């Protein structure tokens, strides 16, 4: 049943009205167990949800909503490999990429064998490149899911990255990006990875062509050694002239693909063992998501919290604050994950929805954000739930830094909640501002894998309750088509049939 037609939805609407006077400070004063009751330990990730605008009744009603919208059976359908991405007629099996070899039977045995049949040569190749001292620079050319995941992970795991190799990520069709990377490279020392699920994306194809021309202009001849393609479209890669290819399958969505061949830069950076640990961390979260009771299941609780905030308390955005500089690309990664998955305005039958879906996701690492936009979070007119991500153990030995970093993240969560009274107004903090606190013991391949899989599944949960298809992305198509038309017009100067603004801009640009 569509979520807004369930009894739980109506009950949540009533509950939200009676909840208007909810105050976190009062809630903590009334219940000394609150932090305990609203904390959860998932694989590698501890979560304190207690500073959120929820009470026991909210949690119970959200659980009812999950039951009445069939969340568990939808989840199980994904893990059975059913074609739940119905607008593209595809299964959704990124989780299979982290499933141990030979661990599934039935219809899933064959795709799982394919996964490991590809993973092994890919990891062997990664090890060859790691051992190849002549290759000092690895350039990943890809965009969206073929860029954000590997880029985020290589940065996050910088302490595990092999010394002596540099990793570059080129995504934008803006030639300034590729040109500035190429400036510092030598053909004989460079490996280009052309990462594109479809091998048709205009940005990636344009950058790949320019990289190949640059390579040949530098005297490079051995394309098989210096170019590899990571794609589901092996034929297109071959036509392009790339024969070293690592494949994956249409049942891996672009934004869910860092566990596939798209993860090759990560595997080169951290090695086969590291990549296997990343997969194992994510797999632990997959199992937990399937097995843990819904009321004690972190991805379920986070996804339902997202629905509560978006649809009942009208909080339209979520800010991500990783308090670890190596996690600085996590907000951008999560932005695609959430907003491309759940930024949908129709239900699974194509009917317009009368309720909101994806929140706006944004953020920067702490403590930087504190000296920039946190002002608005503390004293602005809108309530923005914040998601802190902190790591207990540092990997450096610089004195004082990590204690100060952790003191700041805890203090921010506290300040948002407690506020501060002041007569004059300007110095008044209302407090009662909600936040979630995610804590990893250490930042390792395994804990990163678990953290990202957690986020994938929480996006699944809210998308499932909203009754949308979280696994297509038709909304990106129109701009691609129009850009082709405008590109031709920039060349020809033809403005016939264009609206006044577009025609004027085009004339100005030419
Ligand atoms: O334009 C959006 C998109 O299709 C994303 O979903 C995807 O991650 C990105 O483009 C890149 O696509 P590809 O990997 O096929 O080049």
């Amino acid at each position: 049943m569509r979520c807004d037609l369930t009894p739980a939805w109506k009950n949540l609407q009533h509950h939200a009205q009676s909840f208007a006077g909810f105050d976190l400070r009062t809630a903590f004063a009334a219940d000394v167990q609150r932090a305990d009751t609203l904390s959860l330990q998932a694989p590698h990730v501890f979560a304190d949800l207690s500073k959120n605008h929820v009470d026991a009744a909210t949690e119970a009603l959200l659980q009812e909503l999950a039951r009445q919208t069939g969340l568990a059976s939808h989840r199980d359908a994904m893990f059975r490999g059913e074609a739940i991405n119905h607008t593209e007629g595809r299964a959704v099996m990124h989780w299979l990429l982290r499933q141990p070899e030979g661990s599934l039977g039935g219809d899933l045995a064959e795709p799982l064998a394919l996964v490991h049949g590809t993973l092994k040569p890919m990891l062997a190749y990664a090890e060859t490149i790691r051992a190849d001292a002549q290759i000092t620079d690895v350039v990943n050319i890809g965009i969206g899911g073929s860029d954000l995941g590997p880029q985020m992970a290589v940065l996050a795991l910088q302490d595990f990255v092999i010394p002596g190799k540099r990793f570059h990520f080129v995504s934008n069709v803006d030639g300034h990006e590729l040109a500035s990377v190429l400036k510092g490279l030598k053909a004989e020392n460079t490996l280009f990875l052309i990462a594109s699920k479809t091998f048709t994306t205009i940005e990636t194809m344009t950058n790949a062509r320019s990289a190949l021309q640059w390579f040949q202009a530098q005297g490079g001849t051995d394309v098989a050694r210096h170019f590899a393609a990571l794609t589901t479209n092996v034929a297109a890669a071959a036509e392009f002239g790339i024969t070293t290819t690592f494949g994956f399958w249409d049942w891996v969505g672009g934004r869910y693909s860092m566990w596939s061949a798209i993860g090759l830069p990560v595997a080169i950076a951290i090695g086969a063992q590291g990549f296997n640990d990343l997969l194992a961390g994510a797999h632990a979260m997959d199992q937990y998501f399937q097995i843990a009771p819904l009321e004690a299941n972190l991805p379920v609780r986070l996804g339902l919290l997202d629905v509560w905030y978006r649809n009942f308390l009208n909080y339209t955005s979520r800010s991500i604050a990783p308090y670890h500089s190596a996690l600085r690309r996590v907000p951008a990664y999560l932005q695609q994950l959430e907003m491309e998955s759940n930024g949908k305005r129709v239900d699974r039958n194509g009917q317009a929805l009368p309720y909101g879906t994806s929140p706006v996701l944004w953020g920067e690492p702490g403590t930087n954000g504190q000296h920039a936009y946190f002002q608005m979070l503390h004293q602005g007119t809108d309530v923005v739930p914040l998601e802190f991500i902190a790591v207990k153990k540092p990997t450096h030995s610089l004195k004082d830094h990590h204690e100060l970093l952790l003191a700041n993240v805890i203090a921010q969560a506290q300040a948002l909640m407690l506020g501060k009274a002041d007569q004059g107004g300007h110095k008044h903090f209302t407090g009662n501002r909600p936040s979630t606190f995610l804590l990893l013991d250490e930042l390792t391949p395994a804990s990163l894998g678990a953290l990202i899989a957690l986020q994938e599944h929480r996006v699944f949960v809210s998308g499932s309750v909203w009754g949308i298809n979280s696994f297509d992305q038709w909304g990106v198509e129109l701009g691609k088509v129009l850009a082709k038309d405008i590109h031709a017009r920039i060349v020809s100067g033809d403005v016939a049939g264009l609206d006044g603004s577009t025609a004027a801009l085009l004339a100005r640009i030419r």
Side-chain angles (χ1 to χ4, degrees):
M1 197 191 291
R2 206 177 71 186
C3 58
D4 61 322
L5 306 175
T6 60
W9 191 272
K10 303 266 161 343
N11 291 338
L12 279 159
Q13 283 174 326
H14 282 134
H15 178 60
Q17 281 165 16
S18 67
F19 195 84
F22 177 85
D23 191 293
L24 283 166
R25 291 155 292 201
T26 320
F28 273 98
D31 177 8
V32 284
Q33 300 295 328
R34 183 176 169 89
D36 246 19
T37 328
L38 288 167
S39 290
L40 277 171
Q41 179 67 57
H44 297 281
V45 187
F46 170 81
D48 176 2
L49 306 181
S50 66
K51 291 198 199 73
N52 279 296
H53 287 176
V54 290
D55 61 14
T58 322
E59 290 289 347
L61 287 171
L62 288 170
Q63 288 294 323
E64 264 181 46
L65 182 66
R67 276 191 292 278
Q68 290 170 10
T69 52
L71 170 66
S73 64
H74 193 213
R75 173 198 61 192
D76 296 345
M78 173 171 75
F79 283 100
R80 277 196 304 273
E82 289 177 20
I84 60 167
N85 174 1
H86 67 294
T87 59
E88 296 181 309
R90 291 174 183 167
V92 172
M93 300 206 292
H94 47 277
W95 55 270
L96 193 73
L97 300 165
R98 45 232 193 184
Q99 185 76 28
E101 189 171 16
S103 60
L104 293 174
D107 290 348
L108 294 171
E110 197 187 313
L112 183 57
L114 285 175
V115 164
H116 286 274
T118 307
L119 179 62
K120 277 181 214 161
M122 169 187 141
L123 294 182
Y125 177 78
E127 288 298 334
T128 315
I129 300 298
R130 283 164 68 81
D132 186 340
Q134 206 200 331
I135 300 292
T136 55
D137 291 86
V138 178
V139 182
N140 190 79
I141 293 181
I143 197 164
S146 301
D147 165 64
L148 289 165
Q151 190 188 37
M152 174 275 293
V154 168
L155 254 175
L157 300 173
Q158 57 192 226
D159 285 322
F160 298 81
V161 171
I162 186 168
K165 294 203 196 294
R166 287 182 295 263
F167 293 83
H168 313 269
F169 291 85
V170 174
S171 53
N172 204 318
V173 75
D174 180 353
H176 296 102
E177 193 174 56
L178 178 62
S180 79
V181 168
L182 292 178
K183 249 187 231 165
L185 301 180
K186 283 198 187 126
E188 74 253 35
N189 302 129
T190 304
L191 171 65
F192 290 99
L193 302 175
I194 313 302
S196 176
K197 178 177 171 183
T198 55
F199 226 78
T200 58
T201 304
I202 197 84
E203 290 90 339
T204 303
M205 292 302 103
T206 307
N207 280 323
R209 261 193 306 275
S210 298
L212 187 58
Q213 277 161 13
W214 172 88
F215 176 75
Q216 287 163 343
Q218 299 283 309
T221 49
D222 195 350
V223 173
R225 171 163 158 72
H226 291 275
F227 281 78
L230 323 175
T231 185
T232 60
N233 192 352
V234 173
E239 207 170 300
F240 184 89
I242 301 182
T243 49
T244 310
T245 307
F246 298 95
F248 59 109
W249 306 273
D250 69 0
W251 43 259
V252 182
R255 54 194 172 275
Y256 298 88
S257 65
M258 61 174 264
W259 323 98
S260 71
I262 294 294
L264 181 58
V266 186
I268 296 172
I270 65 171
Q273 183 59 51
F275 197 78
N276 278 326
D277 291 347
L278 179 83
L279 298 178
H283 176 65
M285 192 60 78
D286 295 338
Q287 285 189 305
Y288 166 87
F289 178 45
Q290 291 177 80
I291 292 164
L294 295 191
E295 61 279 7
N297 189 314
L298 186 55
V300 172
R301 295 276 292 274
L302 287 176
L304 291 174
L305 181 64
D306 295 340
V307 172
W308 167 243
Y309 279 168
R310 180 71 181 89
N311 302 116
F312 300 97
L313 300 192
N314 206 24
Y315 303 156
T316 53
S317 93
R318 177 164 83 247
S319 187
I320 314 294
Y323 273 65
H324 196 303
S325 67
L327 296 176
R328 63 187 173 275
R329 291 299 284 167
V330 165
Y333 177 82
L334 295 182
Q335 207 166 49
Q336 184 193 19
L337 184 63
E338 174 79 54
M339 294 170 76
E340 199 169 63
S341 297
N342 287 344
K344 310 287 162 68
R345 55 169 287 282
V346 295
D347 67 15
R348 296 179 63 80
N349 302 318
Q351 298 300 310
L353 296 172
Y355 48 84
T357 57
S358 174
V360 176
L361 235 73
W362 57 286
E364 283 286 326
T367 58
N368 298 15
Q370 290 173 213
H371 300 274
Y373 55 80
F374 269 46
Q375 163 65 38
M376 181 267 195
L377 301 177
H378 285 285
Q379 286 190 314
T381 49
D382 294 299
V383 173
V384 179
L386 211 75
E387 193 155 299
F388 294 105
I389 306 173
V391 180
K392 204 165 144 184
K393 283 193 208 142
T395 50
H396 63 79
S397 53
L398 297 174
K399 204 168 164 295
D400 294 341
H401 286 258
H402 207 64
E403 290 79 2
L404 276 170
L405 180 70
L406 294 181
N408 269 278
V409 64
I410 292 176
Q412 284 298 322
Q414 189 190 28
L416 285 162
M417 173 175 78
L418 293 182
K420 182 171 159 284
D422 183 83
Q423 298 291 315
H426 296 287
K427 294 180 184 170
H428 182 80
F429 291 67
T430 57
N432 196 32
R433 305 246 160 166
S435 66
T436 294
F437 201 105
L438 302 181
L439 183 65
L440 311 179
D441 273 347
E442 294 178 85
L443 184 53
T444 61
S447 69
L448 182 73
L451 177 69
I452 298 303
L454 165 68
Q455 299 287 349
E456 288 178 348
H457 296 324
R458 70 104 67 90
V459 166
F460 176 92
V461 167
S462 53
S464 171
V465 170
W466 285 323
I468 57 183
N469 181 357
S470 301
F471 298 100
D472 60 11
Q473 56 285 317
W474 300 106
V476 299
E477 296 305 323
L478 178 60
K480 291 185 189 173
V481 173
L482 294 187
K484 253 194 197 157
D485 173 58
I486 299 286
H487 185 225
R489 289 170 184 271
I490 285 182
V491 177
S492 70
D494 175 16
V495 296
L498 291 178
D499 64 88
S501 165
T502 308
L505 285 171
L506 210 125
R508 196 169 273 273
I509 276 168
R510 285 194 87 232

